[in-house]
């Protein structure tokens, strides 16, 4: 199983939106895919239509020790696509942290039971350099970082870069991409052009600023299901092809 984590220190940049859309496309392409929601806001599950009442029942079974990691997965209504909702992810993480039985790589241990059942895990992280984020850096094959082309967003990226420059994370592969791109804005255009030249380790595809993505909260579904021919749906589709090629080389 390959693992991609959507991460950025900065909030509201498009981590969850991207996690859900890329996971949907991966599942459509035939990969058994799980979105693992590590953000207490629980938005990934919400976008994939996961019902809160189902969650409550599972959480109590989890606490009683009756639920293993692979069983944390809840099938979505899309073929090949399941979710480990935030509530369950975080409770299980807390339990493991308390016991400390898996030592430093507790998150890796947590993902292990998924290994055989799934081809791809996409982790949706909270916007913070927390302990669980550090574990994710040790686990993910690709750290996928959405960036809005703005000076503040680029500064947050530099902070992440400095943090992950520490030796223990020297293996982490950071891949960035631009999102919420509005080509009518001069500053965005300038950043887009100069950064492309300066940093080749970046996806070629960018996601435009598009209201169809905001509509995901209304439809509680990936953009490809209700606006298949929209610009952002097509952009995510091209981006998925790019990410798939990267995964093949890992
Ligand atoms: N390309 C886009 N164009 C327009 N709106 C977008 C785009 N991407 C995301 N959004 C909107 O921006 C808001 C934040 O997106 P999202 O929740 O994906 O960010 P996030 O990085 O996961 O945030 P958080 O750090 O709070 O978890 C949402 O309302 C979403 O609909
Ligand atoms: Mg989010």
């Amino acid at each position: 199983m390959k693992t991609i984590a959507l991460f950025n220190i900065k909030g509201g940049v498009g981590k969850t939106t991207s996690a859900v859309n890329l996971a949907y496309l991966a599942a459509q392409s035939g990969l058994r895919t799980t979105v693992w929601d590590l953000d207490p806001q629980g938005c990934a599950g919400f976008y994939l239509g996961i019902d809160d009442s189902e969650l409550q029942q599972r959480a109590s079974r989890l606490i009683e020790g009756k639920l293993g990691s692979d069983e944390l997965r809840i099938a979505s209504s899309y073929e090949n696509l399941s979710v480990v909702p935030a509530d369950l992810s975080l409770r299980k993480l807390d339990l493991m942290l308390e016991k400390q039985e898996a030592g430093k790589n507790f998150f890796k241990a947590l993902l292990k039971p998924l290994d055989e059942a799934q081809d791809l895990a996409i982790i949706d992280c909270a916007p913070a350099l927390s302990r669980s984020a550090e574990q994710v850096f040790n686990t993910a094959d690709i750290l996928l970082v959405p960036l809005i082309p703005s000076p503040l967003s680029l500064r947050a990226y530099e902070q992440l870069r400095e943090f992950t420059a520490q030796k223990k994370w020297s293996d982490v592969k950071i891949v960035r991409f631009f999102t919420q791109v509005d080509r009518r804005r001069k500053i965005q255009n300038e950043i887009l052009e100069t950064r492309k030249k300066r940093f080749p380790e970046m996806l070629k595809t960018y996601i435009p600023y598009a209201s169809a993505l905001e509509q995901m909260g209304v439809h509680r579904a990936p953009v490809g299901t209700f606006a298949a021919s929209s610009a952002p749906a097509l952009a995510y589709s091209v981006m998925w092809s790019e990410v798939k090629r990267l995964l093949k080389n890992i």
Side-chain angles (χ1 to χ4, degrees):
M1 183 181 75
K2 299 279 171 59
T3 307
I4 297 173
L6 270 297
F7 186 81
N8 194 320
I9 302 172
K10 205 167 156 47
V13 292
K15 297 179 290 293
T16 304
T17 304
S18 303
V20 166
N21 286 310
L22 291 173
Y24 170 73
L25 290 159
Q28 287 254 300
S29 78
L31 296 181
R32 296 165 302 172
T33 305
T34 294
V35 178
W36 193 296
D37 193 351
L38 274 184
D39 186 345
Q41 295 174 94
C43 298
F46 176 81
Y47 278 147
L48 289 166
I50 300 298
D51 191 0
D52 278 349
S53 61
E54 193 176 356
L55 223 57
Q56 292 308 322
Q57 288 166 14
R58 293 226 172 194
S60 55
R61 282 180 62 208
L62 174 69
I63 302 262
E64 290 159 16
K66 290 178 187 158
L67 211 58
S69 282
D70 187 46
E71 294 163 300
L72 294 178
R73 287 192 300 122
I74 295 177
S76 74
S77 52
Y78 310 105
E79 201 178 349
N80 292 325
L81 186 56
S82 50
V83 189
V84 177
D87 197 35
L88 303 182
S89 305
L90 300 169
R91 279 176 203 252
K92 189 78 185 176
L93 264 180
D94 285 347
L95 289 177
M96 289 188 88
L97 265 175
E98 265 169 38
K99 287 192 199 156
Q100 288 288 333
E101 57 189 22
K104 269 178 82 180
N105 287 322
F106 62 85
F107 191 63
K108 212 174 242 178
L110 191 53
L111 281 177
K112 197 150 183 55
L114 280 190
D115 228 28
E116 280 187 14
Q118 298 290 284
D119 302 308
L120 179 66
I122 297 192
I123 305 168
D124 182 26
C125 298
L129 283 171
S130 59
R131 260 193 87 185
S132 57
E134 293 184 9
Q135 293 288 320
V136 168
F137 299 160
N138 278 325
T139 309
D141 295 305
I142 295 177
L143 205 62
L144 204 50
V145 181
L147 292 177
I148 299 172
S150 75
L152 273 186
S153 184
L154 297 178
R155 183 169 170 269
Y157 173 72
E158 294 306 333
Q159 288 169 336
L160 170 65
R161 188 87 230 176
E162 271 169 35
F163 191 76
T164 53
Q166 295 174 57
K167 208 173 165 204
K168 55 184 166 178
W169 295 305
S170 56
D171 284 346
V172 69
K173 186 175 172 61
I174 301 181
V175 176
R176 296 158 299 157
F177 66 90
F178 282 126
T179 185
Q180 303 194 21
V181 173
D182 182 351
R183 302 281 328 218
R184 290 168 306 182
R185 295 167 79 170
K186 192 165 169 257
I187 183 142
Q188 288 213 5
N189 261 329
E190 282 169 10
I191 291 174
L192 227 68
E193 291 313 318
T194 57
R195 293 281 155 165
K196 252 195 233 166
K197 279 179 211 145
R198 275 178 60 197
F199 299 104
E201 189 70 348
M202 177 150 208
L203 295 183
K204 287 194 180 66
T205 323
Y206 67 80
I207 307 299
Y209 187 89
S211 60
L213 292 173
E214 290 168 325
Q215 291 291 317
M216 283 172 60
V218 178
H219 293 270
R220 294 189 65 183
V223 68
T225 63
F226 62 86
S229 52
S230 66
L234 295 175
Y236 272 118
S237 190
V238 177
M239 182 172 285
W240 166 240
S241 308
E242 227 187 308
V243 172
K244 199 161 67 176
R245 278 199 297 278
L246 285 180
L247 283 176
K248 272 197 184 133
N249 295 327
I250 283 170

mmCIF file of all heavy atoms in Angstrom, residues 112-140:
data_model
loop_
_atom_site.group_PDB
_atom_site.id
_atom_site.type_symbol
_atom_site.label_atom_id
_atom_site.label_comp_id
_atom_site.label_asym_id
_atom_site.label_seq_id
_atom_site.Cartn_x
_atom_site.Cartn_y
_atom_site.Cartn_z
ATOM 1 N N LYS A 112 -0.717 -0.425 9.398
ATOM 2 C CA LYS A 112 -0.284 -1.738 8.913
ATOM 3 C C LYS A 112 -1.430 -2.697 8.561
ATOM 4 O O LYS A 112 -1.401 -3.315 7.495
ATOM 5 C CB LYS A 112 0.668 -2.388 9.933
ATOM 6 C CG LYS A 112 1.464 -3.520 9.343
ATOM 7 C CD LYS A 112 2.808 -3.686 10.005
ATOM 8 C CE LYS A 112 3.614 -4.787 9.352
ATOM 9 N NZ LYS A 112 3.789 -4.622 7.935
ATOM 10 N N PRO A 113 -2.436 -2.804 9.412
ATOM 11 C CA PRO A 113 -3.521 -3.729 9.050
ATOM 12 C C PRO A 113 -4.230 -3.364 7.743
ATOM 13 O O PRO A 113 -4.925 -4.185 7.152
ATOM 14 C CB PRO A 113 -4.487 -3.620 10.242
ATOM 15 C CG PRO A 113 -3.665 -3.091 11.354
ATOM 16 C CD PRO A 113 -2.647 -2.199 10.729
ATOM 17 N N LEU A 114 -4.054 -2.140 7.298
ATOM 18 C CA LEU A 114 -4.687 -1.728 6.039
ATOM 19 C C LEU A 114 -3.916 -2.245 4.827
ATOM 20 O O LEU A 114 -4.454 -2.329 3.731
ATOM 21 C CB LEU A 114 -4.698 -0.197 5.917
ATOM 22 C CG LEU A 114 -5.742 0.625 6.630
ATOM 23 C CD1 LEU A 114 -5.650 2.064 6.134
ATOM 24 C CD2 LEU A 114 -7.122 0.088 6.326
ATOM 25 N N ASP A 115 -2.662 -2.556 5.089
ATOM 26 C CA ASP A 115 -1.712 -2.856 4.027
ATOM 27 C C ASP A 115 -2.213 -3.849 2.984
ATOM 28 O O ASP A 115 -2.089 -3.618 1.784
ATOM 29 C CB ASP A 115 -0.427 -3.393 4.658
ATOM 30 C CG ASP A 115 0.790 -2.704 4.099
ATOM 31 O OD1 ASP A 115 0.648 -1.541 3.691
ATOM 32 O OD2 ASP A 115 1.848 -3.339 4.050
ATOM 33 N N GLU A 116 -2.783 -4.952 3.459
ATOM 34 C CA GLU A 116 -3.203 -5.982 2.516
ATOM 35 C C GLU A 116 -4.535 -5.659 1.873
ATOM 36 O O GLU A 116 -4.771 -6.003 0.719
ATOM 37 C CB GLU A 116 -3.297 -7.325 3.239
ATOM 38 C CG GLU A 116 -1.930 -7.940 3.388
ATOM 39 C CD GLU A 116 -1.979 -9.325 3.935
ATOM 40 O OE1 GLU A 116 -3.075 -9.925 3.965
ATOM 41 O OE2 GLU A 116 -0.912 -9.812 4.348
ATOM 42 N N ALA A 117 -5.376 -4.983 2.630
ATOM 43 C CA ALA A 117 -6.737 -4.747 2.136
ATOM 44 C C ALA A 117 -6.816 -3.574 1.166
ATOM 45 O O ALA A 117 -7.779 -3.445 0.420
ATOM 46 C CB ALA A 117 -7.674 -4.510 3.314
ATOM 47 N N GLN A 118 -5.796 -2.701 1.199
ATOM 48 C CA GLN A 118 -5.885 -1.464 0.433
ATOM 49 C C GLN A 118 -4.647 -1.232 -0.440
ATOM 50 O O GLN A 118 -3.560 -1.707 -0.118
ATOM 51 C CB GLN A 118 -6.038 -0.273 1.395
ATOM 52 C CG GLN A 118 -7.300 -0.322 2.233
ATOM 53 C CD GLN A 118 -8.547 -0.084 1.394
ATOM 54 O OE1 GLN A 118 -8.855 1.029 1.011
ATOM 55 N NE2 GLN A 118 -9.271 -1.142 1.094
ATOM 56 N N ASP A 119 -4.840 -0.481 -1.513
ATOM 57 C CA ASP A 119 -3.700 -0.132 -2.376
ATOM 58 C C ASP A 119 -3.147 1.248 -2.048
ATOM 59 O O ASP A 119 -1.973 1.513 -2.247
ATOM 60 C CB ASP A 119 -4.139 -0.126 -3.854
ATOM 61 C CG ASP A 119 -4.699 -1.478 -4.261
ATOM 62 O OD1 ASP A 119 -4.011 -2.494 -4.033
ATOM 63 O OD2 ASP A 119 -5.830 -1.512 -4.785
ATOM 64 N N LEU A 120 -4.024 2.113 -1.578
ATOM 65 C CA LEU A 120 -3.608 3.504 -1.361
ATOM 66 C C LEU A 120 -4.322 4.090 -0.136
ATOM 67 O O LEU A 120 -5.524 3.924 0.029
ATOM 68 C CB LEU A 120 -3.985 4.333 -2.606
ATOM 69 C CG LEU A 120 -3.663 5.815 -2.573
ATOM 70 C CD1 LEU A 120 -2.152 6.064 -2.538
ATOM 71 C CD2 LEU A 120 -4.272 6.523 -3.792
ATOM 72 N N ALA A 121 -3.519 4.744 0.719
ATOM 73 C CA ALA A 121 -4.116 5.519 1.825
ATOM 74 C C ALA A 121 -3.826 6.983 1.574
ATOM 75 O O ALA A 121 -2.685 7.355 1.263
ATOM 76 C CB ALA A 121 -3.526 5.089 3.158
ATOM 77 N N ILE A 122 -4.845 7.800 1.665
ATOM 78 C CA ILE A 122 -4.654 9.254 1.542
ATOM 79 C C ILE A 122 -5.009 9.873 2.898
ATOM 80 O O ILE A 122 -6.151 9.756 3.361
ATOM 81 C CB ILE A 122 -5.508 9.840 0.408
ATOM 82 C CG1 ILE A 122 -5.039 9.233 -0.942
ATOM 83 C CG2 ILE A 122 -5.392 11.365 0.388
ATOM 84 C CD1 ILE A 122 -5.568 9.903 -2.174
ATOM 85 N N ILE A 123 -4.008 10.467 3.520
ATOM 86 C CA ILE A 123 -4.207 11.000 4.870
ATOM 87 C C ILE A 123 -4.487 12.492 4.787
ATOM 88 O O ILE A 123 -3.725 13.248 4.181
ATOM 89 C CB ILE A 123 -2.938 10.772 5.725
ATOM 90 C CG1 ILE A 123 -2.549 9.288 5.722
ATOM 91 C CG2 ILE A 123 -3.157 11.247 7.154
ATOM 92 C CD1 ILE A 123 -1.173 9.022 6.300
ATOM 93 N N ASP A 124 -5.570 12.886 5.412
ATOM 94 C CA ASP A 124 -5.913 14.316 5.456
ATOM 95 C C ASP A 124 -5.500 14.854 6.818
ATOM 96 O O ASP A 124 -6.072 14.482 7.840
ATOM 97 C CB ASP A 124 -7.423 14.485 5.234
ATOM 98 C CG ASP A 124 -7.828 15.949 5.210
ATOM 99 O OD1 ASP A 124 -6.977 16.794 4.864
ATOM 100 O OD2 ASP A 124 -8.991 16.243 5.546
ATOM 101 N N CYS A 125 -4.481 15.718 6.837
ATOM 102 C CA CYS A 125 -3.918 16.188 8.103
ATOM 103 C C CYS A 125 -4.552 17.502 8.561
ATOM 104 O O CYS A 125 -5.050 18.285 7.758
ATOM 105 C CB CYS A 125 -2.410 16.418 7.950
ATOM 106 S SG CYS A 125 -1.496 14.925 7.538
ATOM 107 N N ALA A 126 -4.440 17.739 9.867
ATOM 108 C CA ALA A 126 -4.841 19.030 10.429
ATOM 109 C C ALA A 126 -3.727 20.043 10.155
ATOM 110 O O ALA A 126 -2.575 19.650 9.965
ATOM 111 C CB ALA A 126 -5.075 18.879 11.923
ATOM 112 N N PRO A 127 -4.058 21.337 10.139
ATOM 113 C CA PRO A 127 -3.021 22.336 9.841
ATOM 114 C C PRO A 127 -2.154 22.656 11.064
ATOM 115 O O PRO A 127 -2.264 23.714 11.643
ATOM 116 C CB PRO A 127 -3.840 23.564 9.421
ATOM 117 C CG PRO A 127 -5.152 23.393 10.111
ATOM 118 C CD PRO A 127 -5.386 21.933 10.283
ATOM 119 N N ALA A 128 -1.296 21.740 11.448
ATOM 120 C CA ALA A 128 -0.443 21.976 12.619
ATOM 121 C C ALA A 128 0.750 21.039 12.600
ATOM 122 O O ALA A 128 0.651 19.919 12.083
ATOM 123 C CB ALA A 128 -1.249 21.732 13.884
ATOM 124 N N LEU A 129 1.837 21.509 13.168
ATOM 125 C CA LEU A 129 3.009 20.634 13.305
ATOM 126 C C LEU A 129 2.895 19.877 14.628
ATOM 127 O O LEU A 129 3.656 20.092 15.562
ATOM 128 C CB LEU A 129 4.295 21.471 13.280
ATOM 129 C CG LEU A 129 4.729 21.963 11.902
ATOM 130 C CD1 LEU A 129 5.866 22.959 12.010
ATOM 131 C CD2 LEU A 129 5.149 20.793 11.011
ATOM 132 N N SER A 130 1.921 18.998 14.683
ATOM 133 C CA SER A 130 1.641 18.254 15.909
ATOM 134 C C SER A 130 2.469 16.967 15.940
ATOM 135 O O SER A 130 3.178 16.652 14.987
ATOM 136 C CB SER A 130 0.162 17.888 15.932
ATOM 137 O OG SER A 130 -0.096 17.111 14.782
ATOM 138 N N ARG A 131 2.307 16.224 17.035
ATOM 139 C CA ARG A 131 3.017 14.940 17.108
ATOM 140 C C ARG A 131 2.519 13.969 16.049
ATOM 141 O O ARG A 131 3.294 13.215 15.468
ATOM 142 C CB ARG A 131 2.827 14.315 18.497
ATOM 143 C CG ARG A 131 4.017 14.558 19.375
ATOM 144 C CD ARG A 131 3.962 13.692 20.597
ATOM 145 N NE ARG A 131 4.559 12.378 20.361
ATOM 146 C CZ ARG A 131 4.546 11.415 21.267
ATOM 147 N NH1 ARG A 131 3.971 11.598 22.428
ATOM 148 N NH2 ARG A 131 5.101 10.245 21.010
ATOM 149 N N SER A 132 1.223 14.000 15.812
ATOM 150 C CA SER A 132 0.726 13.079 14.785
ATOM 151 C C SER A 132 1.255 13.483 13.403
ATOM 152 O O SER A 132 1.519 12.629 12.556
ATOM 153 C CB SER A 132 -0.792 12.956 14.812
ATOM 154 O OG SER A 132 -1.389 14.195 14.652
ATOM 155 N N ALA A 133 1.439 14.793 13.189
ATOM 156 C CA ALA A 133 2.019 15.229 11.908
ATOM 157 C C ALA A 133 3.437 14.677 11.768
ATOM 158 O O ALA A 133 3.826 14.198 10.696
ATOM 159 C CB ALA A 133 2.032 16.744 11.827
ATOM 160 N N GLU A 134 4.186 14.697 12.855
ATOM 161 C CA GLU A 134 5.555 14.168 12.797
ATOM 162 C C GLU A 134 5.545 12.686 12.435
ATOM 163 O O GLU A 134 6.383 12.209 11.676
ATOM 164 C CB GLU A 134 6.251 14.353 14.151
ATOM 165 C CG GLU A 134 6.494 15.800 14.491
ATOM 166 C CD GLU A 134 7.275 15.958 15.791
ATOM 167 O OE1 GLU A 134 7.769 14.952 16.323
ATOM 168 O OE2 GLU A 134 7.367 17.101 16.265
ATOM 169 N N GLN A 135 4.565 11.979 12.983
ATOM 170 C CA GLN A 135 4.444 10.555 12.651
ATOM 171 C C GLN A 135 4.103 10.367 11.172
ATOM 172 O O GLN A 135 4.591 9.450 10.531
ATOM 173 C CB GLN A 135 3.350 9.907 13.510
ATOM 174 C CG GLN A 135 3.679 9.854 14.977
ATOM 175 C CD GLN A 135 4.752 8.822 15.287
ATOM 176 O OE1 GLN A 135 4.753 7.738 14.720
ATOM 177 N NE2 GLN A 135 5.659 9.158 16.172
ATOM 178 N N VAL A 136 3.280 11.262 10.685
ATOM 179 C CA VAL A 136 2.908 11.199 9.264
ATOM 180 C C VAL A 136 4.146 11.405 8.388
ATOM 181 O O VAL A 136 4.335 10.711 7.385
ATOM 182 C CB VAL A 136 1.805 12.235 8.935
ATOM 183 C CG1 VAL A 136 1.619 12.380 7.437
ATOM 184 C CG2 VAL A 136 0.494 11.835 9.588
ATOM 185 N N PHE A 137 5.018 12.326 8.784
ATOM 186 C CA PHE A 137 6.243 12.562 8.006
ATOM 187 C C PHE A 137 7.085 11.285 7.927
ATOM 188 O O PHE A 137 7.794 11.057 6.963
ATOM 189 C CB PHE A 137 7.110 13.673 8.625
ATOM 190 C CG PHE A 137 6.436 15.013 8.695
ATOM 191 C CD1 PHE A 137 6.890 15.976 9.574
ATOM 192 C CD2 PHE A 137 5.346 15.308 7.893
ATOM 193 C CE1 PHE A 137 6.269 17.222 9.652
ATOM 194 C CE2 PHE A 137 4.719 16.537 7.967
ATOM 195 C CZ PHE A 137 5.180 17.496 8.850
ATOM 196 N N ASN A 138 7.001 10.482 8.984
ATOM 197 C CA ASN A 138 7.765 9.228 9.001
ATOM 198 C C ASN A 138 7.104 8.115 8.217
ATOM 199 O O ASN A 138 7.689 7.059 8.015
ATOM 200 C CB ASN A 138 7.944 8.724 10.452
ATOM 201 C CG ASN A 138 9.096 9.418 11.131
ATOM 202 O OD1 ASN A 138 10.083 9.725 10.483
ATOM 203 N ND2 ASN A 138 8.965 9.680 12.412
ATOM 204 N N THR A 139 5.861 8.330 7.840
ATOM 205 C CA THR A 139 5.070 7.241 7.273
ATOM 206 C C THR A 139 4.764 7.429 5.790
ATOM 207 O O THR A 139 4.803 6.473 5.021
ATOM 208 C CB THR A 139 3.717 7.134 8.040
ATOM 209 O OG1 THR A 139 3.994 7.085 9.428
ATOM 210 C CG2 THR A 139 2.948 5.908 7.622
ATOM 211 N N ALA A 140 4.456 8.655 5.413
ATOM 212 C CA ALA A 140 3.930 8.889 4.056
ATOM 213 C C ALA A 140 5.003 8.706 2.984
ATOM 214 O O ALA A 140 6.159 9.090 3.175
ATOM 215 C CB ALA A 140 3.351 10.292 3.970
#
